């Protein structure tokens, strides 16, 4: 299979984790006889420095010519004082809007070998398996006005939470599709309907969509309760669907169930079929350039890409199994090493590549003799 993959490493550890993910993908291509073409684009702080724009036109063109996109992360203290339109995060928000990447899927599963790494007790996290479906192109992060104003004679500020009913409907429908076809048929719709009108409409729409999926059970949960339930009893969840900002916050919280932000992959799906894959973490300026970031979230995001965008289930599973094998062997990056000797970013990826190659060699031998 021939595929073009746009690579947007971005800033900080984004570059480090994308670099090693490319090496893992090259190993997959070699063993499974695919051709992956990698086209690099600038985004975020780097793009501001080089092009004066966090999302240059060239980058959009590179993405549109690709079959899928892998992004690292954007942001860093260097650009924190920039005006809003010259902030790295603007580049990512603009890309999500430009490509209509409206549904962000964040699977939360635990690895047996990492159960001790979670700050939660083992019995609470063992067997956790749910997915957060986060709306990604609407809500507070996009609403206008978003500005400082004068209000009742005082300095004030306004951000706008705006959703079209159709935007709510399509994200909830996506969640029902996932719950119905791929999961245990239970949806928790998270909102703040006791306070926000937008949440009351969200609830209405969820109820309407639910009528089309009688096999799926729908429950509503207030976001403050959801934040508590994620820690108290995370196994209760199957599919969580929620708006942009609630999803942003809850998925970072949920990452600790798995032990580290460096473990969580995500897929941002569009209406056009051109999807973007990225770790949920940011550019981690505190550890950038040290070759110590955990690359697993990005490597698992690449596995999601192979499965979702290219239909390469076997290849996706091979990456996931290789990650599992390496973790079972005891290799850990610093975020998970609990003070023990840690592998570098490059060593972790190298071990995953080796595990992929070993596993594939065994498969080939088995096929030859079957
Ligand atoms: N999608 C994105 O590009 C994205 C997402 C979140 C934050 N950001 C940006 O990233 C910058 C830093 O934000 P932050 O510090 O709040 O969040 P962050 O996710 O970058 O880091 C939070 C903490 O987790 C650690 N961490 C994150 N990823 C890790 C990994 N792969 N391996 C090991 N440790 C890891 C960091 O060292 C840090 O201590 C900001 O500019 C922010 O705007 C970007």
């Amino acid at each position: 299979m021939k595929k073009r993959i746009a690579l947007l490493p971005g800033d900080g550890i984004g570059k480090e984790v994308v670099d090693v993910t490319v090496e893992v993908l090259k190993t997959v291509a070699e063993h499974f006889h695919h051709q992956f073409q990698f086209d690099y684009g600038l985004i975020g702080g780097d793009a501001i420095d080089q092009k004066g724009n966090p999302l240059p036109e060239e980058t959009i063109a590179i993405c549109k010519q690709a079959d899928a996109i892998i992004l690292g992360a954007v942001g860093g203290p260097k650009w924190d004082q920039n005006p809003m339109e010259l902030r790295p995060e603007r580049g990512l928000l603009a890309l999500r809007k430009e490509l209509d990447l409206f549904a962000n899927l964040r699977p939360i599963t635990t690895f047996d070998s990492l159960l001790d790494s979670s700050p939660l007790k083992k019995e609470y996290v063992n067997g956790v398996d749910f997915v957060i479906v986060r709306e990604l192109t609407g809500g507070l992060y996009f609403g206008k006005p978003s500005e400082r104003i004068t209000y009742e004679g005082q300095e004030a500020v306004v951000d706008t939470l705006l959703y079209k009913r159709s935007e709510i409907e399509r994200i909830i429908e996506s969640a029902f599709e996932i719950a119905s076809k791929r999961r245990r048929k239970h949806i928790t719709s998270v909102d703040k309907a006791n306070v926000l009108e937008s949440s009351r409409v969200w609830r209405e729409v969820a109820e309407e969509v639910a009528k089309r999926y009688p096999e799926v059970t729908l429950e509503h949960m207030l976001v403050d309760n959801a934040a508590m339930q994620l820690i108290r009893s995370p196994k209760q969840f199957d599919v969580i669907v929620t708006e942009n900002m609630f999803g942003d916050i809850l998925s970072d919280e949920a990452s600790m169930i798995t032990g580290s932000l460096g473990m969580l992959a995500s897929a941002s799906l569009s209406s056009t079929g051109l999807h973007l894959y990225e770790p949920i973490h940011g550019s981690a300026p505190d550890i950038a350039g040290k070759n110590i970031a955990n690359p697993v979230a990005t490597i698992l995001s690449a596995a999601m890409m192979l499965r979702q965008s290219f239909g390469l289930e076997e290849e996706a599973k091979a990456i996931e199994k290789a990650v599992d094998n390496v973790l079972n062997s005891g290799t850990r990056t610093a975020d998970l090493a609990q003070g023990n000797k840690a592998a570098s970013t490059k060593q972790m990826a190298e071990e995953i590549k080796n595990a992929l190659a070993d596993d594939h060699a065994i498969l080939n031998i088995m096929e030859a003799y079957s």
Side-chain angles (χ1 to χ4, degrees), residues 9-11 13-14 17 43 71-80 87-89 92 96 106 134 248 252 255-256 260-264 266 276 278-288 292-298 333-336 345:
D11 308 314
I13 63 166
V17 293
I43 191 166
L71 179 121
V74 297
K78 183 175 176 194
W79 305 280
D80 276 354
R87 294 285 297 265
E89 295 78 7
L92 183 51
R96 288 173 179 164
R106 300 184 158 192
R134 168 189 168 196
D248 194 2
D252 264 33
S255 75
M256 288 321 292
S260 170
L261 207 50
M263 292 298 297
L264 286 202
S266 88
L276 179 147
E278 58 173 321
I280 78 156
H281 61 73
S283 58
D286 52 337
I287 57 167
I292 59 171
N294 186 347
V296 168
T298 314
T333 39
D335 52 324
L336 291 167
T345 308

Side-chain angles (χ1 to χ4, degrees), residues 36-238:
F36 297 147
Q37 178 184 324
F38 300 104
D39 300 311
Y40 282 82
L42 290 169
I43 191 166
D46 241 13
I48 294 169
D49 289 349
Q50 294 186 44
K51 303 281 176 185
N53 178 351
L55 181 65
E57 284 299 322
E58 303 94 286
T59 300
I60 298 174
I62 287 167
C63 291
K64 287 188 173 166
Q65 283 159 14
D67 298 300
I69 305 158
I70 293 180
L71 179 121
V74 297
K78 183 175 176 194
W79 305 280
D80 276 354
Q81 302 311 318
N82 282 11
M84 210 38 129
E85 64 284 5
L86 283 182
R87 294 285 297 265
E89 295 78 7
R90 284 284 129 188
L92 183 51
L93 292 178
L95 185 67
R96 288 173 179 164
K97 204 70 173 172
E98 175 71 32
L99 301 180
D100 201 22
L101 298 161
F102 72 96
N104 185 228
L105 273 45
R106 300 184 158 192
I108 316 282
T109 47
T110 49
F111 286 85
D112 287 349
S113 51
L114 293 185
L115 291 178
D116 284 328
S117 304
S118 173
L120 300 185
K121 288 191 191 121
K122 225 178 188 171
E123 59 266 34
Y124 288 99
V125 294
N126 190 9
V128 164
D129 175 15
F130 64 92
V131 57
I132 298 180
V133 181
R134 168 189 168 196
E135 203 291 326
L136 207 56
T137 51
L140 264 181
Y141 296 1
F142 290 92
K144 294 276 182 309
S146 170
E147 61 195 19
R148 289 156 196 259
I149 55 168
T150 303
Y151 182 71
E152 294 181 348
Q154 290 189 35
E155 191 183 342
V157 60
V158 59
D159 285 308
T160 303
L161 200 172
L162 178 89
Y163 268 117
K164 287 184 266 184
R165 206 175 173 95
S166 59
E167 290 175 315
I168 300 174
E169 188 170 351
R170 70 176 178 173
I171 189 71
I172 290 179
E173 215 164 53
S174 304
F176 270 90
E177 280 294 311
I178 292 166
S180 161
K181 300 206 172 114
R182 295 191 237 152
R183 304 211 36 111
R184 302 190 302 276
K185 301 183 175 23
H186 181 77
I187 291 201
T188 309
S189 172
V190 173
D191 60 38
K192 188 69 185 165
N194 53 341
V195 177
L196 297 174
E197 197 55 33
S198 55
S199 284
R200 286 192 274 276
V201 174
W202 182 279
R203 246 179 218 216
E204 267 171 43
V205 175
E207 288 294 335
E208 279 165 27
V209 174
K211 290 187 191 133
R212 306 202 283 272
Y213 295 86
E215 73 283 13
V216 178
T217 52
L218 167 68
E219 69 169 335
H220 302 285
M221 195 177 277
L222 297 175
V223 64
D224 35 358
N225 184 25
M228 188 269 283
Q229 295 293 342
L230 275 174
I231 303 298
R232 195 184 75 94
S233 155
K235 277 188 251 187
Q236 69 183 285
F237 296 110
D238 178 23

